[in-house]
Amino acid sequence: MLAVFGHTNPDTDAITSALVYARLLSRQGVAAQAYRLGELNFETPFVLREAGVDAPPPLPELEAGAPVALVDHNESAQSVPNLSELTVTRVVDHHKLGDLTTAQPAYLRFEPVGCTATILLKLHREAGLPVERTDARLMLSAILSDTLHFRSPTTTAEDREAVAFLAPIAEVEDVEAYALAMFAAKSDLGDTPAETLLKMDYKVFPFGDPASPQTMQRWGIGVIETTNPAYVLGRQEELLRAMDQTRAEEGLNGVLLSVVDILNETNVTLVLSATEEKVLREAFGVTVEHGRADLGHRISRKKQIVPTLEAYFTPES
C-alpha cells in the first residue's frame, strides 16, 4: 500500500491533496492510502465537513524502504522524520525543489502554480478520468485556501481556470461566499493556546550555502491567515513566548510569525529578538516597533518571504 501524505503542520492543501491523489492513484490501479502529519487547522475540518469526508488518519510508523508519495512538499525538514529511509515513488508539488533525493527514478510533477490541487486537476484530465463531486469540492477548497481566493501573488491563470471548472462539479454556486465561509472558519481561533496558533501553518527552512555548512541557518516561519488580525495581535506576548520556546526546543537560529489580514492583504510580523529584528531590517528594509514589523502587502511566505530570506542568507559572491 502506497502511503500518500502532505507536510507537517498540514494546511488545507496538504490534507485535501493527499485524499484526492490517493483516490486518483487507486482509480488508476495503484493501491494508495492518504495520511496526515499533524493536527488539522481550523479551516480544514470545515472543508472536510462540506465535502462529506473524514480526515485522513495520522501516518503510522513506516518500515525502512516503504513506498510513499509526497504532496504539497518535498523538503525533508517539512516531512516525516525518517523520510531518507523511505522510498519516495511520487511527488506532486508546487514549491521549489529542496533537498529531495531518491534511490530510484520517481514520478515527479512540479509546477509553478498557486496550489497542488491545480496540478491534481491536470492529472485527472491527463488520465482521462472524470472529476467526481467530492474530489472537486476538495480541490476547489484547496485552491481557494492557498491563493486566498486569488489574493495571493502566487495565483496563476491556471488556478483561476481550475476554480471555474471545478465549481459546477462541486456544486458551489457562489464561490466568493464559500471562500469567505472558509476564511471565517479559519479565523475562529477562540481560546486556542499560543503554541497551537504558532504551529498551525509553520515550516522550518534551511538558509545559507549548502557548500559552506558553517553558514547554514535554520529558521521557523509561521503564518496566521485571518479575517480578524486584531485578535491575534492582541495575544502578542503569549505568541512571543511560544516563539521563544520553539526556537530553544528546535535549536533554531530564528523564528518569525506573520499575521496576514486576508481581506486587506497586509502582513504584520511578530519579532522575537534583536536577531530577528536585524534580519528583517536588512532583508526587507523595514523598521520594528513594539515587537512588530509591518511587511506591507507581502502576504505569501512561498513567494515573498522565503525567497527574500534565501537571498539575504546566501549573498552573491
Side-chain angles (χ1 to χ4, degrees):
M1 180 72 72
L2 180 66
V4 182
F5 52 88
H7 52 77
T8 56
N9 304 309
D11 57 8
T12 295
D13 189 24
I15 295 295
T16 59
S17 290
L19 290 165
V20 172
Y21 193 38
R23 178 166 167 75
L24 175 61
L25 290 172
S26 297
R27 293 173 70 186
Q28 294 176 297
V30 178
Q33 168 67 49
Y35 294 99
R36 58 181 168 88
L37 301 184
E39 298 304 315
L40 306 182
N41 64 21
F42 290 91
E43 175 186 77
T44 308
F46 169 84
V47 167
L48 297 180
R49 286 195 302 271
E50 289 291 307
V53 298
D54 295 328
L59 181 73
E61 185 174 348
L62 300 177
E63 296 181 357
V68 299
L70 311 183
V71 294
D72 198 32
H73 78 295
N74 69 90
E75 299 194 50
S76 59
Q78 300 168 16
S79 197
V80 64
N82 65 332
L83 182 64
S84 62
E85 301 174 2
L86 305 176
T87 302
V88 178
T89 65
R90 289 172 167 81
V91 183
V92 181
D93 193 12
H94 67 126
H95 297 92
K96 69 178 182 68
L97 182 63
D99 59 352
L100 177 69
T101 61
T102 62
Q104 60 190 40
Y107 294 95
L108 305 178
R109 186 65 173 266
F110 289 74
E111 292 194 21
V113 292
C115 182
T116 307
T118 301
I119 307 173
L120 290 175
L121 174 58
K122 292 186 179 184
L123 294 180
H124 277 80
R125 289 168 162 171
E126 292 166 9
L129 291 173
V131 178
E132 299 186 353
R133 178 191 177 279
T134 297
D135 291 335
R137 178 66 72 109
L138 294 174
M139 288 188 281
L140 171 74
S141 302
I143 298 169
L144 293 175
S145 177
D146 259 21
T147 68
L148 297 178
H149 191 195
F150 311 144
R151 293 172 173 84
S152 171
T154 61
T155 305
T156 67
E158 292 170 290
D159 300 305
R160 294 177 182 274
E161 189 277 331
V163 167
F165 177 84
L166 291 167
I169 303 172
E171 299 177 1
V172 175
E173 296 182 2
D174 190 332
V175 172
E176 181 176 3
Y178 179 66
L180 289 174
M182 288 174 51
F183 300 152
K186 177 185 291 190
S187 303
D188 186 14
L189 303 176
D191 56 355
T192 305
E195 296 80 4
T196 303
L197 291 178
L198 171 63
K199 292 296 184 70
M200 285 194 306
D201 187 358
Y202 170 88
K203 295 180 179 180
V204 174
F205 295 88
F207 295 127
D209 183 357
S212 304
Q214 69 275 11
T215 70
M216 293 299 294
Q217 295 200 25
R218 295 173 64 248
W219 282 61
I221 304 177
V223 178
I224 299 177
E225 297 169 341
T226 177
T227 59
N228 186 11
Y231 168 79
V232 181
L233 294 172
R235 300 182 62 183
Q236 177 172 328
E237 294 307 315
E238 296 175 67
L239 290 166
L240 288 172
R241 287 194 294 272
M243 292 162 65
D244 189 40
Q245 181 178 346
T246 295
R247 184 173 63 176
E249 291 176 348
E250 299 183 4
L252 302 172
N253 298 93
V255 176
L256 299 171
L257 178 61
S258 291
V259 182
V260 171
D261 184 332
I262 297 173
L263 300 182
N264 293 308
E265 302 174 38
T266 57
N267 176 349
V268 174
T269 294
L270 299 186
V271 183
L272 178 59
S273 71
T275 298
E276 288 84 357
E277 179 176 351
K278 178 177 184 294
V279 170
L280 287 172
R281 184 177 65 251
E282 296 180 355
F284 295 94
V286 299
T287 58
V288 175
E289 295 183 3
H290 309 297
R292 302 178 185 180
D294 183 353
L295 265 62
H297 296 293
R298 299 181 181 96
I299 62 174
S300 170
R301 176 174 53 195
K302 182 177 74 170
K303 193 167 185 176
Q304 297 171 306
I305 305 299
V306 171
T308 300
L309 292 174
E310 287 176 331
Y312 174 79
F313 285 111
T314 315
E316 295 183 3
S317 58

